[in-house]
Amino acid sequence: MSFTEVIHWGVLAIALVVGAAYAFVAQDATTLEEVQGALLLGIVVLVVAVVVFAVAVAVPMAIRSKGNLADERDDAAEAGAVPWAFSVLVIGATWAVTDILTRDAPDEIRTVNILLGSIFAAACVGSIVTLARYRMGIR
């Protein structure tokens, strides 16, 4: 597997764990103040875990491959996933705007969770499509 493919696997796994933890904490929240700590902690944990994972994977792979981590399939695999991720993000943003416009009383926590969920889903879909393109071949 190429470096980029390994990174996509790891980031997808880390994102699913952190996303599930945030969803568990935020499911009963009724105000933004109740989820601010969980959201901040989730973002920090996600960033730190991804950076540590990337470094832990990059160093041995760079030593083994004599510093060349690039694979000619990487750009093509990731480029094919962009339209899928963008579509998910647009659907989530449209859902959030529709939710805001059709609701009588403001419910910020619901809107924030819809937006966060659509960003999270777009990132996961992008990684999944990229990984599928590595496995099925790039067309």
Side-chain angles (χ1 to χ4, degrees), residues 34 40-41 56 60 63 67 78-79 81 93 99 133:
E34 293 176 8
L40 182 61
L41 181 64
I63 292 169
E78 289 177 336
D99 185 58
R133 288 175 56 88

Side-chain angles (χ1 to χ4, degrees), residues 3 13-14 38 40 42 44 57 77 91 95 98 102-103 105 112 125 139:
F3 172 72
I14 292 167
L40 182 61
V44 169
V57 169
I91 290 169
W95 179 19
T98 303
T102 59
R103 208 170 340 105
V112 166
V125 165
R139 297 181 177 107

Side-chain angles (χ1 to χ4, degrees), residues 76-108:
E78 289 177 336
V82 170
W84 292 88
F86 182 74
S87 297
V88 170
L89 193 57
V90 167
I91 290 169
T94 304
W95 179 19
V97 169
T98 303
D99 185 58
I100 291 168
L101 295 176
T102 59
R103 208 170 340 105
D104 291 335
D107 186 8
E108 300 90 10

Side-chain angles (χ1 to χ4, degrees), residues 3-74:
F3 172 72
T4 305
E5 188 176 3
V6 172
I7 293 299
H8 274 286
W9 278 112
V11 169
L12 181 62
I14 292 167
L16 289 175
V17 169
V18 172
Y22 172 77
F24 180 75
V25 170
Q27 70 184 356
D28 295 328
T30 56
T31 65
L32 285 177
E33 290 78 25
E34 293 176 8
V35 295
Q36 281 177 339
L39 179 59
L40 182 61
L41 181 64
I43 290 170
V44 169
V45 168
L46 183 66
V47 170
V48 169
V50 167
V51 169
V52 168
F53 176 75
V55 169
V57 169
V59 171
M61 286 186 86
I63 292 169
R64 186 179 53 184
S65 66
K66 296 175 181 60
N68 186 14
L69 295 176
D71 186 349
E72 64 275 357
R73 300 177 307 156
D74 293 341

